[in-house]
Amino acid sequence: MAIPIAVPRLGWSTEEALFTGWLKEDGAPVRAGEPLYVLETDKASQEVECLDAGTLNILAGGPKAGDKVLVGALIGYLLQPGEVVPSSAPLVVSAREGKPAPAVVATFAAPEPERSRIAISPRALRIAAELGVDWTRIEGSGRDGRIVERDVRAALERGGKPGAGSVRRVIAERLSRSARTTVPVTLVTTADASPLAGIRRRLKESDGPDAPGYTDLVVKLVAEALCRHPALNARWEGDGVVLQEGIHIGVAVDTEAGLLVPVIRNVPELTVRQVAAASRDLAARARRRALRPEEMQGGTFTVSNLGAFAIDAFTPVINLPECAVLGMGRIERRPVAEGDAIVIREQLTLSLTFDHRIVDGAPAARFLGELAALIRGPGAALGL
Amino acid sequence: MNGRDSSRALDLYRRMLLIRRCEEQLARGHQRGLIHGACHTYVGQEAVAAGVCAQLGAEDVVFSTHRGHGHALAKGVPPRELFAELLGRATGCSRGRGGSMHLFAPEVGLMGTSGIVGPCILQAAGAAYTFKLRADGRVAVAFFGDGAVNNGAFHEGLNMASIWKLPVVFVCENNQFATEVPFSYSAGNPDVASRGAAYGLPGVAVDGNDVLAVDVAAEEAVRRAREGGGPTLLECRTYRTRPHSEGMPDFTYRTREEVEEWKARCPLARLRVKLLEGGTPRNWRRSRRKSRGPSRTPRSSPRKVPGPTRPPRPRTSTRSRGSCPRRPSAPLARSRSCRPPSRR
Amino acid sequence: MQATLEALTEEMARDPAIFVLGEGIGKRGGNFRTTAGLYERYGPLRLCDTPICERGFVGLACGAAMAGARPVVDFMFVDFVLDALGEIFNQIAKVQYMSGGRLRMPVLLRGCIGVGHSAATHHSGSYHPLFAHIPGLRVAVPSNPADAKGLLRHALRGHDPVVFLEHRELLGVKGPVPEGDWEIPFGRAAVVRPGKDVTVVALSLMVRHALAACAALEKEGISVELIDPRTVAPLDVDTVLASVRKTGRLLIVDEAFGPFGLGSEIAAQVAERGLDQLDAPIRRLHGAHAPTPYSPPLEAAVAPTAKTVERAIRDLLED
C-alpha cells in the first residue's frame, strides 16, 4: 500500500506551517528515519523524519518552498516496488475537522430601552404584576426609595389599584403618533353574517359559555384573508414596508384603565376554539393588568369590535407599526334584497382602516371583499 | 544462553518488540492527526519497562509518568485498549478521558500514568503502605524520569518508604533530559543511584539499554521488597531516541550524532544479537508462533478507523515496517536506528 | 472534637482498612486530641506518625487509597496542607473520573480552620471555597458536635475524597449527640432556626455568631431564618431558595475570604434561580480579604462577629 505523506502536527496546537522544501528528490529511495522535508512554525524550523521506507513520490501541485501548508495536507507518497500513486486520495484527517472560522462577527448594541427611573425589587415587580397593581405610582420605602414587596401590598390594601394614569398616557402618545405619521383611509362594507350567526348558535349549544364569540370567528377569518392578501399583513419599519411572515392579530380590549391590545400569535395555526381560549385569557389578564409587555407587542393586524355598543361603522385608528385595522360593528337583522325578494338577513358592517403609505386602495378593497365573502361563506376556513 | 535463559530472554524481547511496534504506530497516528494532544513515546527505553515488569506478578502495581505507554504495555494493558485511548474512544483503557498521559488499568495493576512529574513516587509508596498494612506480599513500583529526582516528591517519598520499610521499588529511567533540559545541568548530584544513601536505602545503577541487566537488578529489588527488606532505588541509564513529544523539534538541545549513537545501542538489537549468538533457532521459531497473540500490533491506518466514536479495528501486522527487524537481512537495510553494534 | 473521635474510633473498629496519617497523631494523640487513645488500641501501622512532609504523605494517601486502603490524613491546620494542593487537586480529586470509577478514592483529609486566639497568618486560614472549587472533592464544615460526628461517619463510609474542616474555636464546644449508628448525608443544609423576615446562611463558627445575633433581634420582633449548609460541596442551594421564597432577603456569613467564595456562589445561584423572589440585594459578610494579623485588636477586626452579623441583618432589612 502506498504510504501517504501528510503534514504532521508540530507541537500541540499548530494548525499550519511554512513548507521550506524537500530534502529528497522525487523518485529518490528513502529509508526509515531519514529527514524528508523541512517545515517551519513560529517555534522553529524542523526536519521531518520519515517513519517508513520507500520511493518518494512528490505530488504534482504539492507545496513549493515558502508555501503555507495545513496540518494534515497530503504532499506525497512513499511507494513500494511495483506500486503506483493511488487514484483516490486517501483519507487524511486534519487536526481539527472543522468549520471555517467565522468572519468577524459584528455585534449590534440593542437600542437602549426607555428605562423607568423608579427602582423596584424583582420580587416587588413580580408581585405587582400578579396583583395587578400599577407600581409606577407607588412611593417606595426601601433604600433610596426602592419599591419593595410591602409597598406593593400596602398599595393594594389602600385600594390604590388605580392609576389609570400611566396607561392613558401611553394610549395618548401612541394614538397621536399614529395620527401624525400614517395616511389612514377607511373603507366600509356590509357582509351577510347569517351563516356565521348559525355557527355561533351551534357553538353556544355545544360549548356553553366558553364558545368562541363573533370576534374570535372573525379573527380566524381575517387570518385566512391575510394569507390570501399578504400585502395587508405588513408593517412600516424604519422607512420602508416589511411584509410579515407570521400572522399575529391584536384584539382591542376595553379595560378600566383604558384600551389595551393583546396579541394572539400565529392565528393560522390555531383552531377557532384555541383562538377563543387565547383571546379569553389575554382579555382577562388585560383587565387585571397582568399582561407581560411582550404580549402586547409584535402584532401584524388588529381587530376592534364595537358591536356590543350598537355601533355600525367607525374609523378605527391604526395600531402602529401595523398596516391596517378592522372595525366590527353590530350584527343586526335587516331586510335585504335577494333577487327580487326582500329577505331578512343578519348583517355585519365592517370598517377597514389602512395606511395608504403601505398599501393602495384597490388591494385594501380586495382584501375587505375577500373577508366579506369569507364571512358569507366561511366553509372550511373556520375548520369546524 | 541455556534453554531457560533463552526462553526468558525471548519473553523480554517480545515485550520490548511489542512496545517498539506500538510506539512507532502511534507516532504515525500522531503525524496523521489521529492522535491528539501530546504523545510521548518510549522508543529507546523499552528495556526498562520490559525488564522491571517481567519481575512483577499480576497482583503487583505500577505507577508511571507522562511517558507511560511502555509501562502500560509491559504491565499487560492490551494494545487495543492503549490505541483506543489515544484515539479518544470510549473503549480506551481510560474510556477516552485520559489520552496519552492518563492511562489507567487497575485490573492489570497499572494504577495510572500522569501528566505531573513526581506524584507517582508518592503514590507507589502509598500503595506499598496498603500492602504492608494488609501484609499481603504485594509490591508497588514507581517509574519516573531523571526530571523527577530533583523534585520534592522524590525526597519525601523515598524518605517515607525508607523509614517505614515499604515494599516498593523506585525505578528512575535516567534518559538524561527533563523535556529538553540536560540532567547534567539540573542535578547537583547527577549520580541518581548514590542518592539512595541519603535516605538509607540501597541504590543500584544499571545499563538501562541492557534488558538482561535490568531484569537481574529488578529481580533483586522486587525480592527485597516482597520479603520485607524495604525499598530500592534502581537507576536505569538510558536514552529516548524520538523527540520529547511527537511533533517537537529534536535537535535544538541535542545533536543528531548523539541520537544516532544511542540508536546504535538499541536494546532490542542488542538482545537479538545475543539471542542469535546463543543460537537456539528452534526455540526462537516456536516462541514466535506462540507469541502471535501478545505481539499483535493494532494499526492506526486512517482507513481502518471508520468513525469518531467507534473503536479502532486492530489488524495483525503482516509485514514488518518497524525499525527493529525480526530478521537481520533485508529490513536492516531500511533501518538506521537499530543496527546491532557488531555490524557497524 | 470528642464526637469526631468517637466516630473515628468506631469506624476504625468496623473497617480495618482505615489508617491515620499525620504529624503527632500516634502516641501523642494528635495536636488537637483528634486521635487520643487510638494508638494504644490500633498500633503504629494504623496510627502512622509522619515526618513534616505534607505533600509527601498526602500523595502517599492517594496511592494507598488507590490500592484499597482508607487513609485519614490529619494535617492539624489547613494552612499546612496547602503544600499538598497539587496532590489533592491533580491526583486525589481526579483519579476516580480518569479511571472510569475503577479506582476509588476514599481519602479523608481533615484539619482545623479559622481565626482566633492570635494564631496569626499561618494558622488561621479557612480555605473551604478553594477545595469546593475543584470537581471531585467533597467539603464538609460542621458547626456543632452532632453534625461533626454524623458527617465524619458519612465521610468514612463513602467512596469519595472528603475535606473535613473544623473551626478551632469550636473544638471545645459541647452539644447533644444522638446515640447509635447514624450518619448525615452530604448536601443537606440544616434550618437551624425558622424565621420569616430575612434568611441568613452561615457556616461553621459563623452559625454560633448568627444565633447570637438572631436572639438579639428577636427581642425587637425581627424573625431570622438561619441556615447552615454543613457541606460546601455539595452545596444545598435548594434549601436556601425555599427560605428566600419566604423572606425575600438573603445574607451569607462566612469567615473565609469573600471573592469567589461561599457568598458569591450562593448569591449567584439564588440570582439565577430565584431573582424575582428577591426583595433586596443579596448581602455577603466575609472575613477581610487580607492575611490574618496577630495582635488581638487587629485580629478581632478581620473576622465577622455576632455584632457585625447583627448589624448586617439590620442593614439588609433597610434595603
Side-chain angles (χ1 to χ4, degrees):
Chain A
M1 193 186 79
I3 298 162
I5 301 169
V7 175
R9 196 149 28 95
L10 307 172
W12 288 33
S13 54
T14 314
E15 300 299 345
E16 61 174 28
L18 194 69
F19 185 82
T20 321
W22 290 97
L23 297 172
K24 295 277 178 184
E25 281 174 18
D26 191 29
V30 179
R31 291 181 302 177
E34 283 191 311
L36 207 53
Y37 53 96
V38 184
L39 289 178
E40 208 174 292
T41 64
D42 44 2
K43 259 185 155 179
S45 170
Q46 189 176 341
E47 292 180 1
V48 178
E49 274 182 31
C50 181
L51 280 160
D52 303 285
T55 303
L56 178 63
N57 180 286
I58 296 176
L59 276 192
K64 309 275 175 297
D67 284 353
K68 277 239 163 85
V69 284
L70 287 177
V71 168
L74 182 69
I75 56 176
Y77 285 97
L78 287 176
L79 303 177
Q80 307 305 317
E83 283 182 342
V84 292
V85 174
S87 52
S88 63
L91 170 69
V92 176
V93 183
S94 75
R96 295 252 180 287
E97 284 125 287
K99 301 163 191 111
V104 179
V105 180
T107 53
F108 300 95
E112 193 76 2
E114 209 173 291
R115 211 179 295 154
S116 156
R117 291 210 185 79
I118 306 163
I120 179 169
S121 81
R123 185 186 184 92
L125 188 65
R126 172 176 58 82
I127 289 169
E130 282 169 6
L131 299 177
V133 174
D134 174 14
W135 54 268
T136 56
R137 320 200 93 198
I138 295 178
E139 197 78 2
S141 70
R143 199 182 302 279
D144 299 330
R146 186 197 288 108
I147 300 164
V148 296
E149 181 185 3
R150 59 177 172 260
D151 304 324
V152 175
R153 295 197 185 276
L156 187 69
E157 269 171 34
R158 282 199 304 273
K161 207 164 189 189
S166 65
V167 174
R168 197 69 253 159
R169 272 201 304 277
V170 173
I171 294 172
E173 199 277 322
R174 289 176 63 94
L175 292 182
S176 54
R177 183 143 48 97
S178 178
R180 258 196 331 271
T181 57
T182 61
V183 182
V185 176
T186 302
L187 307 177
V188 179
T189 189
T190 302
D192 178 359
S194 306
L196 213 57
I199 289 169
R200 162 85 176 134
R201 265 194 303 280
R202 281 198 300 283
L203 284 169
K204 245 180 156 170
E205 280 160 20
S206 60
D207 294 21
D210 286 347
Y214 282 112
T215 312
D216 303 322
L217 296 172
V218 170
V219 162
K220 187 67 190 157
L221 295 174
V222 164
E224 178 61 26
L226 285 172
C227 286
R228 300 178 191 179
H229 298 268
L232 277 285
N233 196 52
R235 297 166 70 132
W236 184 265
E237 285 178 6
D239 53 357
V241 177
V242 180
L243 295 184
Q244 300 297 304
E245 275 188 24
I247 295 177
H248 312 302
I249 299 181
V251 178
V253 179
D254 176 43
T255 74
E256 276 180 34
L259 173 71
L260 292 175
V261 187
V263 177
I264 304 171
R265 310 267 151 192
N266 292 317
V267 176
E269 287 163 28
L270 303 179
T271 65
V272 169
R273 286 189 176 85
Q274 285 168 332
V275 168
S279 165
R280 212 164 37 241
D281 168 56
L282 289 168
R285 285 196 288 124
R287 297 198 171 98
R288 285 210 320 270
R289 302 279 314 277
L291 287 174
R292 295 191 300 273
E294 66 267 24
E295 288 175 316
M296 291 184 280
Q297 292 163 0
T300 60
F301 191 95
T302 293
V303 173
S304 174
N305 187 350
L306 292 181
F309 307 105
I311 300 297
D312 287 325
F314 58 106
T315 55
V317 178
I318 293 165
N319 187 15
L320 279 179
E322 295 165 17
C323 164
V325 52
L326 178 75
M328 287 171 66
R330 66 179 149 178
I331 295 178
E332 198 185 22
R333 292 163 65 81
R334 289 188 206 138
V336 174
E338 200 174 273
D340 289 336
I342 303 270
V343 293
I344 304 297
R345 287 287 182 200
E346 307 265 0
Q347 296 290 92
L348 164 61
T349 308
L350 301 172
S351 312
L352 177 77
T353 300
F354 64 94
D355 187 346
H356 214 318
R357 294 177 306 165
I358 300 178
V359 67
D360 292 332
R366 273 198 292 274
F367 165 79
L368 190 59
E370 180 92 47
L371 180 62
L374 281 166
I375 288 170
R376 229 171 9 251
L382 289 175
L384 286 167
Chain B
M1 256 182 220
N2 63 31
R4 193 187 153 276
D5 286 350
S6 73
S7 100
R8 175 158 194 86
L10 275 176
D11 177 58
L12 291 170
Y13 186 78
R14 204 156 44 231
R15 285 170 190 257
M16 292 196 293
L17 186 62
L18 176 68
I19 297 171
R20 174 69 57 93
R21 284 283 149 70
C22 286
E23 293 290 40
E24 286 173 347
Q25 204 62 15
L26 288 172
R28 286 186 186 91
H30 189 271
Q31 285 205 349
R32 289 169 198 172
L34 298 168
I35 288 167
H36 317 283
C39 179
H40 306 105
T41 56
Y42 197 63
V43 174
Q45 304 181 203
E46 294 89 345
V48 183
V52 173
C53 290
Q55 292 297 339
L56 299 178
E59 71 289 355
D60 297 322
V61 298
V62 304
F63 293 81
S64 161
T65 67
H66 56 285
R67 195 178 304 288
H69 309 162
H71 308 127
L73 292 167
K75 194 66 182 61
V77 174
R80 185 190 174 103
E81 287 190 16
L82 173 69
F83 276 62
E85 184 59 35
L86 269 78
L87 291 165
R89 307 302 165 93
T91 45
C93 62
S94 303
R95 312 299 183 243
R97 295 168 180 174
S100 169
M101 283 188 281
H102 310 277
L103 308 170
F104 288 87
E107 55 282 351
V108 297
L110 177 73
M111 306 302 270
T113 67
S114 172
I116 309 289
V117 169
C120 62
I121 297 175
L122 303 171
Q123 289 165 10
Y129 198 95
T130 297
F131 300 156
K132 190 178 167 88
L133 192 68
R134 291 188 168 157
D136 57 8
R138 293 157 75 189
V139 172
V141 173
F143 289 102
F144 50 92
D146 47 275
V149 309
N150 295 324
N151 182 284
F154 176 83
H155 167 65
E156 298 184 18
L158 265 65
N159 186 54
M160 288 188 294
S162 174
I163 62 173
W164 298 322
K165 282 210 175 317
L166 300 179
V168 55
V169 181
F170 298 112
V171 181
C172 172
E173 303 187 51
N174 182 355
N175 71 10
Q176 304 174 42
F177 294 96
T179 305
E180 297 180 359
V181 179
F183 189 54
S184 56
Y185 162 82
S186 57
N189 168 12
D191 182 354
V192 175
S194 76
R195 295 193 191 191
Y199 310 103
L201 55 87
V204 182
V206 295
D207 178 351
N209 279 28
D210 179 351
V211 70
L212 298 177
V214 174
D215 186 46
V216 169
E219 183 177 19
E220 167 71 15
V222 170
R223 188 185 50 71
R224 181 181 300 122
R226 223 184 280 289
E227 291 175 357
T232 304
L233 172 61
L234 185 58
E235 179 191 7
C236 302
R237 293 181 181 156
T238 182
Y239 199 89
R240 61 171 162 73
T241 51
R242 291 197 62 77
H244 165 71
S245 181
E246 285 305 305
M248 281 176 67
D250 207 20
F251 302 116
T252 49
Y253 61 100
R254 61 184 190 181
T255 63
R256 192 178 282 281
E257 290 68 34
E258 183 180 296
V259 176
E260 290 303 323
E261 206 176 290
W262 276 92
K263 278 185 181 173
R265 292 184 225 166
C266 169
L268 281 83
R270 279 168 68 179
L271 181 59
R272 220 166 46 72
V273 167
K274 272 193 196 159
L275 278 168
L276 292 177
E277 277 169 359
T280 49
R282 251 159 55 91
N283 285 355
W284 178 213
R285 275 197 296 274
R286 191 166 346 115
S287 300
R288 269 182 68 195
R289 269 201 304 280
K290 271 196 275 175
S291 74
R292 275 282 157 69
S295 65
R296 280 182 179 188
T297 308
R299 300 172 54 114
S300 63
S301 160
R303 286 197 290 158
K304 290 292 161 197
V305 184
T309 56
R310 288 171 60 182
R313 292 165 52 185
R315 203 176 72 180
T316 307
S317 176
T318 52
R319 193 157 54 95
S320 160
R321 249 203 249 122
S323 51
C324 262
R326 292 201 187 113
R327 283 165 291 129
S329 54
L332 261 186
R334 288 201 260 123
S335 163
R336 291 194 302 168
S337 59
C338 277
R339 190 173 297 142
S342 60
R343 294 178 68 94
R344 287 181 58 143
Chain C
M1 193 276 306
Q2 188 61 33
T4 58
L5 179 58
E6 276 172 27
L8 183 59
T9 310
E10 291 159 16
E11 291 305 303
M12 285 189 80
R14 200 182 56 81
D15 184 352
I18 297 178
F19 71 98
V20 187
L21 282 164
E23 293 148 16
I25 55 85
K27 269 201 186 113
R28 191 177 160 221
N31 195 47
F32 296 118
R33 314 298 297 155
T34 48
T35 54
L38 292 180
Y39 184 87
E40 289 71 22
R41 200 183 292 198
Y42 297 114
L45 204 51
R46 296 187 66 191
L47 275 299
C48 179
D49 266 321
T50 61
I52 302 175
C53 53
E54 276 74 13
R55 181 191 174 189
F57 61 78
V58 170
L60 183 141
C62 175
M66 288 161 88
R70 189 180 276 280
V72 175
V73 178
D74 190 330
F75 44 72
M76 280 193 271
F77 294 87
V78 73
D79 311 76
F80 297 174
V81 89
L82 298 186
D83 275 8
L85 285 193
E87 305 303 321
I88 298 173
F89 289 2
N90 258 330
Q91 313 294 331
I92 287 175
K94 294 179 181 174
V95 161
Q96 293 198 94
Y97 176 80
M98 298 310 297
S99 67
R102 287 172 295 166
L103 290 171
R104 294 302 191 179
M105 194 44 61
V107 175
L108 176 69
L109 299 153
R110 66 178 299 191
C112 285
I113 56 171
V115 173
H117 288 96
S118 287
T121 198
H122 287 162
H123 295 72
S124 299
S126 289
Y127 297 110
H128 44 272
L130 202 62
F131 296 105
H133 187 64
I134 304 300
L137 295 179
R138 289 168 178 263
V139 184
V141 195
S143 68
N144 62 70
D147 284 358
K149 182 168 185 179
L151 292 168
L152 190 80
R153 192 182 269 140
H154 185 75
L156 287 170
R157 293 180 179 183
H159 290 305
D160 303 325
V162 175
V163 181
F164 188 89
L165 303 170
E166 292 171 280
H167 201 290
R168 217 173 49 252
E169 301 294 316
L170 288 175
L171 290 180
V173 164
K174 302 218 179 332
V177 178
E179 294 289 321
D181 186 7
W182 50 277
E183 50 190 287
I184 298 175
F186 288 1
R188 301 231 184 116
V191 178
V192 180
R193 53 172 288 163
K196 60 181 179 41
D197 295 332
V198 57
T199 301
V200 174
V201 177
L203 190 74
S204 190
L205 179 65
M206 299 302 112
V207 175
R208 294 181 71 79
H209 290 347
L211 271 173
C214 291
L217 292 164
E218 196 174 26
K219 292 180 195 134
E220 299 167 30
I222 297 171
S223 162
V224 180
E225 179 144 305
L226 178 58
I227 294 175
D228 175 3
R230 303 196 285 197
T231 58
V232 179
L235 182 63
D236 178 5
V237 177
D238 290 348
T239 298
V240 179
L241 267 170
S243 176
V244 170
R245 222 165 275 139
K246 265 198 299 181
T247 64
R249 283 159 199 264
L250 174 61
L251 167 72
I252 303 120
V253 188
D254 185 20
E255 189 183 298
F257 303 133
F260 311 97
L262 182 68
S264 319
E265 180 58 30
I266 293 177
Q269 290 201 41
V270 168
E272 282 164 2
R273 296 166 58 193
L275 182 68
D276 63 7
Q277 303 294 344
L278 287 167
D279 209 15
I282 301 169
R283 294 302 189 98
R284 296 177 290 160
L285 181 62
H286 280 275
H289 196 214
T292 309
Y294 160 76
S295 158
L298 289 176
E299 185 192 48
V302 298
T305 63
K307 270 275 157 253
T308 58
V309 174
E310 186 186 324
R311 206 177 304 142
I313 294 172
R314 285 183 195 282
D315 198 44
L316 173 57
L317 284 169
E318 277 171 26
D319 266 332

